[in-house]
Amino acid sequence: ETGVTQTPRHLVMGMTNKKSLKCEQHLGHNAMYWYKQSAKKPLELMFVYSLEERVENNSVPSRFSPECPNSSHLFLHLHTLQPEDSALYLCASSQDRSGTVNSPLHFGNGTRLTVT
Amino acid sequence: KNEVEQSPQNLTAQEGEFITINCSYSVGISALHWLQQHPGGGIVSLFMLSSGKKKHGRLIATINIQEKHSSLHITASHPRDSAVYICAVRSGGSQGNLIFGKGTKLSVKP
């Protein structure tokens, strides 16, 4: 149990579908993150939320739309995706964005997304 | 060239062997992370260090800031250590600015 829960674990969707990924943490953390992990590539930061406000968007296409309704929940809404968007999408949280020893990242188990 | 390079990319070892995974980086950093990713996908933070050496059980992480190099050592390796080990560096003061290596896939055979 990592403290960060992601659903679903696996998702297959067509290019015209709309789906959402969900992330939930009950660690009392104030910062939440979406990462993308493609085969044979490093983890790529997509979005950062701090105290429910988006503070970073790393040039992610608009077909990915994040939502953070409260400090415990983070969503990634998906629409009209491309096959190259197939990847493992990981959510993470931390106490704050200072990155100190007292604020390590806690990752979820990820959602394996396949776009057909 | 990636800003964070790990070697080797793949490593196969026999149970009990001493294992070393290396990480070199080319940017100024404030901290370096070692992460472990199991086949299911979840990632666990093993160490965060900015100088010297840290030890947790059979795992040891070292960092040489001058040489921009870190190593992760596993003593008395076990099949359950099989995973992808990822090095990430933090440049600047924000968790969001982590730069990740591609990972080293370790397989420990019984």
Side-chain angles (χ1 to χ4, degrees):
Chain A
E1 176 58 51
T2 68
V4 179
T5 303
Q6 288 187 243
T7 55
R9 290 298 310 276
H10 301 272
L11 179 61
V12 179
M13 59 186 289
M15 290 191 285
T16 57
N17 291 158
K18 288 185 181 181
K19 296 286 185 184
S20 295
L21 310 185
K22 180 181 176 182
C23 176
E24 187 172 352
Q25 59 91 8
H26 294 289
L27 299 169
H29 289 171
N30 293 317
M32 296 186 78
Y33 312 79
W34 279 117
Y35 286 93
K36 176 183 178 183
Q37 188 178 37
S38 304
K40 301 192 187 303
K41 292 176 70 176
L43 275 156
E44 301 170 60
L45 178 67
M46 300 176 73
F47 300 104
V48 182
Y49 276 81
S50 179
L51 297 172
E52 301 156 42
E53 286 193 28
R54 190 190 313 180
V55 295
E56 195 155 339
N57 173 349
N58 265 14
S59 303
V60 180
S62 60
R63 58 186 184 270
F64 295 91
S65 174
E67 179 191 0
C68 188
N70 55 62
S71 60
S72 298
H73 294 86
L74 185 65
F75 294 89
L76 188 62
H77 303 299
L78 317 170
H79 64 98
T80 59
L81 294 192
Q82 305 297 311
E84 60 263 29
D85 296 322
S86 298
L88 180 70
Y89 289 85
L90 288 153
C91 173
S93 70
S94 61
Q95 181 60 46
D96 55 46
R97 292 194 69 218
S98 67
T100 65
V101 171
N102 293 324
S103 184
L105 281 173
H106 293 251
F107 284 88
N109 287 327
T111 295
R112 176 72 62 185
L113 174 67
T114 303
V115 182
T116 60
Chain B
K1 190 178 191 303
N2 294 334
E3 292 166 300
V4 179
E5 293 281 354
Q6 288 185 236
S7 62
Q9 289 186 29
N10 293 283
L11 180 57
T12 299
Q14 286 300 127
E15 183 173 356
E17 285 184 3
F18 179 83
I19 289 162
T20 296
I21 298 171
N22 296 298
C23 176
S24 297
Y25 52 92
S26 57
V27 295
I29 70 167
S30 52
L32 182 142
H33 298 248
W34 280 103
L35 309 166
Q36 181 191 54
Q37 184 173 31
H38 279 282
I43 295 176
V44 175
S45 179
L46 297 175
F47 296 104
M48 179 163 56
L49 64 166
S50 55
S51 65
K53 175 179 172 179
K54 285 191 175 180
K55 185 175 189 293
H56 186 260
R58 294 180 295 107
L59 302 177
I60 303 166
T62 63
I63 187 168
N64 185 317
I65 296 293
Q66 286 74 29
E67 295 186 3
K68 296 188 174 180
H69 181 269
S70 175
S71 293
L72 177 68
H73 305 287
I74 305 175
T75 61
S77 59
H78 190 276
R80 65 175 174 265
D81 297 325
S82 298
V84 175
Y85 291 84
I86 301 171
C87 172
V89 300
R90 179 162 51 81
S91 60
S94 160
Q95 282 279 21
N97 291 333
L98 280 176
I99 306 169
F100 293 84
K102 291 184 179 180
T104 293
K105 186 174 182 180
L106 171 65
S107 177
V108 182
K109 305 293 186 187

